[in-house]
Amino acid sequence: MEAGDYFGETDLLLSEHMDESLSRNNSNMRREGANGNVDGRFSAVSTDDELLDIRTGALEHWHDSDEEEIAKNLSSSSSNLMDTLDDLPPGIGQYEDFHTIDWLRDIARDRMRHRHIIKKKQEGIWEKIKSAHDAWSGWVCVLLVGVAAGLCAGIIDIGATWMSDLKEGICAEAFWLNREQCCWSVSNTDANDDYCQQWKTWSEIFGGSRSGAGSYVVTYFVYMLWAIVFAMLAALFVRVFAPYACGSGIPEIKTILSGFIIRGYLGKWTLLTKSVGMMLAVSAGLSLGKEGPFVHVASCCGNVFSYLFPKYGTNEAKKREILSAASAAGVSVAFGAPIGGVLFSLEEVSYYFPLKTLWRSFFCALAAAFVLRSINPFGNDHLVMFYVEYNEPWYIQELIPFVLIGVLGGLYGSFFIKANIAWCRYRKNSKLGNYPIIEVLVVTFVTALLSYPNQYTRLNTSELIKMLVGRCGPEDDTDLCDYKRNYSSHMLNQTSLKTMTSSTVIGDGVYKALWMLALALVFKGIITVFTFGIKIPCGLFIPSMAVGAIMGRMIGIGVEQIVVANHDNPFFENMCESKQFCRITPGLYAMVGAAAALGGVTRMTVSLVVIMFELTGGLQYIVPLMVASMTSKWVGDALGKEGIYDAHILLNGYPYLDSKEEFTHTTLASDVMRPRCARYGSAVRNDPPLSVITQDSMTVEEVDHVLKSTSHNGFPVIVSRESQYLVGFVLRRDLNLALSNALKNQDGIVYNSIVYFTNHVTENPNGPAPLKLRKIIDMAPVTITDQTPMEMVVEMFRKLGLRQTLVTHKGRLLGILTKKDVLRHIAHLENQDPESILFN
């Protein structure tokens, strides 16, 4: 965006017409000041209601003004000051890094731009084409974002699967194939066969055998070596190319969508580094997932493509509509759940979600899912690795264990949040934070060392979930499916098939599998605490679902055996046709457990159920999933109100004002504003006086001193220091830009020049030329009185997306309230550290 574009002709025109209206409506309210003529248009206003009436009248007059005059003046309304803006370095005039956008200003700019386009539409065919382009540019943008997100997801899935298998061996005839694809190339070989001849283990490549103690040691060593190499490469990529590519990115995406600026977080280098780092981190075998970071990757695509359309690229508020749609596409390609992605964007990450954004999010998620389905990265015609195809029934009695699973999921979620936040806080405040690469290597070494001996922790986490939610069939010969069923290979009638899949007494293999799963549950639950937050791309969805799936599968096997052992009990009568035909599906319990654990960690509800429903494809499983999800959320909320992403936002001090929380305290604006006042005009607690600018009595040097001696984002403009009547508000970046350009490019402007923020300039033939900056002032800033309840103030900040509001008393400026002040006040009332809020 060009530097001059920020002010924009529309902003100047808006300010000009409003100021002229105020001048006409208040021409009878001027008075003589001590230093000559002073524009005292607010001096006769005794109440805030009268002040509001004047501003409302000005707005109505401006809206009713002749549009033809507006269009005619668009090209001439820019002064010489504005003509010099293009000479400044790029970036000047935009929002500064780590600052909050002004939603009202940006939305007003976009509406003014739209009205101008509609007016110009009548002037010819070219203008009609431009108007049509403006109308469909949003749909084209989200289409491009969806296609890009689908392509990125397909590449990442294929690369991560190949590198994960590389730790254990390589395809001898075609090294670019993963194990499943390599074994499929032989028509008579099953991909699940441990003795696939086309796939060579590292022990065989180095001249050894496939089995034996020596083979185990060699394979173990190579597994750990590859894991450390992959993790080190991921950490180096992040450290060197894009430090913002670490973590899942969802806490930052939530904050950005609420109006916060983090330069570079959604840039091209972050997109590339995050994509490559995800493949490497998942391939290292760490307890993390790539599904969460997909939201960050898709949002990067949304940010990049938004700059192709000035409607979105130059307007931060409009850009967030594209980012909301991109977040939906990220979840769509992560889980193969387009509808769940839209609901995730609505429920979890988006702050401003109008109806048109809902439609575009749906279209973006659809495009992303279609592209990923066309790529078919898993070779199974599904978008995810753990799609289940069984359609077994569930019974009303099973709601009891489903509720139990929900309770355990909520307990695990609360434990994980508290433990992970404590560890991340320790990392942040200790020397450990100075050695991120060493921390990554240590965590990787411990993970690889302890996960390889256990077949369930050695598996890729997505493959583990796929195994746990699956149903044991006659072709399965794993320990987890070692049931004592009596059938032979020639029994193919319907009755025998029913016997093959029915519940029965477990064998020794299942007992062994349960012990291994119990160890995997403890290991996954603990190691994920230390893994989430290290400086590589790492998501939380899949590890949480794996913990829940392990827990659910174990409970499901237990329930199954209770029913089989008590099949004659009237309580289980409808669950068993006979002793041989009890139909309990442990895979369903694993699925419910995955939803419960993920819900306990993230506190999602509606979007989580829809995502899990889209994964299973079974309508009859909605009720069990809803029961477990709601139970886990209730239990988790009882032990701690914040989900993992909100907790990380609070830990990092981001200015996120959660719209889901209620403010129930009885404080007033005068209790929170700066400077704090015991009595009007007397500051307390050593608060510095409010920095203000007068409308027509300060020189360029004095204004420049105010800018250099303070770090505020903007300054109230008042009539005079004696009257303190409010005129408007000017942003720091606009004032900086205006002064530097005037001193550089306007003749006669020196440090002794008087700065005027009004239409009425007093000409002094013997003095320096005056500097007129009326066009950069906001003549209608949001104001409140000192007696406004903070409950109303908080709602204004939430609903209007305010950066600051000015506090008045009988029309006189009293103080200012910023978003940081509101957040620190809330933190103080909740017995948290107010200084943890770092940004505004």
Side-chain angles (χ1 to χ4, degrees), residues 515-560:
W515 279 107
M516 301 292 282
L517 285 175
L519 294 174
L521 177 65
V522 174
F523 174 72
K524 285 279 188 184
I526 294 177
I527 199 65
T528 308
V529 171
F530 300 96
T531 304
F532 186 68
I534 59 177
K535 299 303 180 183
I536 58 174
C538 53
L540 190 61
F541 284 6
I542 291 299
S544 300
M545 292 177 68
V547 170
I550 294 172
M551 172 186 67
R553 183 78 183 208
M554 295 173 67
I555 292 176
I557 293 175
V559 172
E560 180 186 44

Side-chain angles (χ1 to χ4, degrees), residues 470-485:
R471 179 183 63 178
C472 290
E475 73 281 359
D476 294 313
D477 57 355
T478 61
D479 289 340
L480 200 59
C481 294
D482 183 18
Y483 286 83
K484 296 179 179 179
R485 295 190 177 102

Side-chain angles (χ1 to χ4, degrees), residues 806-824:
L806 301 176
V807 184
T808 62
H809 177 69
K810 295 183 178 179
R812 289 182 169 88
L813 179 66
L814 195 62
I816 188 170
L817 254 174
T818 65
K819 192 174 184 179
K820 184 193 291 185
D821 296 327
V822 174
L823 288 166
R824 285 184 170 179

Side-chain angles (χ1 to χ4, degrees), residues 264-573:
Y265 199 84
L266 302 177
K268 295 182 289 295
W269 277 108
T270 305
L271 170 62
L272 181 61
T273 306
K274 189 91 172 188
S275 301
V276 176
M278 285 166 59
M279 290 188 285
L280 292 168
V282 172
S283 303
L286 291 166
S287 184
L288 48 81
K290 59 183 183 295
E291 282 67 19
F294 270 139
V295 177
H296 189 184
V297 168
S299 296
C300 289
C301 295
N303 181 66
V304 170
F305 282 107
S306 69
Y307 285 101
L308 299 178
F309 305 89
K311 175 180 177 180
Y312 298 101
T314 60
N315 191 307
E316 292 290 345
K318 294 292 292 180
K319 182 190 294 182
R320 273 144 184 78
E321 297 179 12
I322 302 298
L323 297 182
S324 294
S327 300
V331 175
S332 173
V333 297
F335 294 103
I339 301 175
V342 175
L343 294 177
F344 174 83
S345 179
L346 172 62
E347 178 184 3
E348 188 65 20
V349 297
S350 292
Y351 199 83
Y352 175 66
F353 205 81
L355 189 59
K356 62 181 178 181
T357 302
L358 175 68
W359 299 334
R360 289 173 180 167
S361 298
F362 182 79
F363 181 63
C364 188
L366 171 66
F370 175 78
V371 171
L372 185 63
R373 172 63 179 79
S374 301
I375 296 174
N376 194 17
F378 304 116
N380 58 1
D381 292 335
H382 299 304
L383 301 183
V384 290
M385 295 184 67
F386 41 94
Y387 190 94
V388 295
E389 296 177 334
Y390 54 79
N391 200 25
E392 303 294 340
W394 65 276
Y395 302 94
I396 193 69
Q397 296 94 322
E398 292 182 284
L399 287 177
I400 298 175
F402 291 155
V403 170
L404 174 62
I405 291 174
V407 171
L408 295 176
L411 292 173
Y412 168 74
S414 181
F415 157 76
F416 176 83
I417 292 170
K418 287 179 169 56
N420 181 254
I421 292 299
W423 177 251
C424 290
R425 184 176 289 111
Y426 171 77
R427 178 196 295 123
K428 188 176 182 179
N429 299 326
S430 66
K431 293 183 178 180
L432 180 63
N434 299 327
Y435 306 99
I437 296 180
I438 294 178
E439 182 189 10
V440 169
L441 295 179
V442 170
V443 172
T444 305
F445 177 80
V446 173
T447 303
L449 180 69
L450 298 180
S451 64
Y452 187 84
N454 190 330
Q455 60 174 322
Y456 298 111
T457 54
R458 187 193 315 166
L459 280 174
N460 179 282
T461 311
S462 295
E463 295 178 353
L464 173 63
I465 297 174
K466 179 182 178 180
M467 174 187 295
L468 293 172
V469 302
R471 179 183 63 178
C472 290
E475 73 281 359
D476 294 313
D477 57 355
T478 61
D479 289 340
L480 200 59
C481 294
D482 183 18
Y483 286 83
K484 296 179 179 179
R485 295 190 177 102
N486 297 318
Y487 60 87
S488 59
S489 57
H490 66 276
M491 297 172 62
L492 296 177
N493 57 65
Q494 188 66 28
T495 303
S496 62
L497 288 175
K498 190 174 181 180
T499 305
M500 293 174 191
T501 57
S502 63
S503 300
T504 185
V505 179
I506 59 176
D508 294 336
V510 178
Y511 283 110
K512 178 183 176 183
L514 287 174
W515 279 107
M516 301 292 282
L517 285 175
L519 294 174
L521 177 65
V522 174
F523 174 72
K524 285 279 188 184
I526 294 177
I527 199 65
T528 308
V529 171
F530 300 96
T531 304
F532 186 68
I534 59 177
K535 299 303 180 183
I536 58 174
C538 53
L540 190 61
F541 284 6
I542 291 299
S544 300
M545 292 177 68
V547 170
I550 294 172
M551 172 186 67
R553 183 78 183 208
M554 295 173 67
I555 292 176
I557 293 175
V559 172
E560 180 186 44
Q561 295 308 299
I562 291 175
V563 173
V564 169
N566 300 276
H567 63 278
D568 295 330
N569 192 306
F571 187 74
F572 303 121
E573 183 177 358

Side-chain angles (χ1 to χ4, degrees), residues 196-264:
C196 170
Q197 297 300 317
Q198 304 299 319
W199 182 260
K200 302 295 182 183
T201 65
W202 289 109
S203 176
E204 290 179 293
I205 292 174
F206 291 134
S209 61
R210 184 181 287 264
S211 59
S215 171
Y216 183 84
V217 171
V218 171
T219 309
Y220 197 164
F221 175 77
V222 176
Y223 179 93
M224 293 185 60
L225 182 64
W226 274 119
I228 292 174
V229 169
F230 288 151
M232 184 172 64
L233 287 175
L236 287 174
F237 270 116
V238 170
R239 183 68 179 268
V240 173
F241 296 108
Y244 282 150
C246 64
S248 73
I250 293 181
E252 287 75 15
I253 296 299
K254 287 186 68 170
T255 309
I256 289 173
L257 287 176
S258 73
F260 195 54
I261 298 289
I262 307 179
R263 298 288 179 205

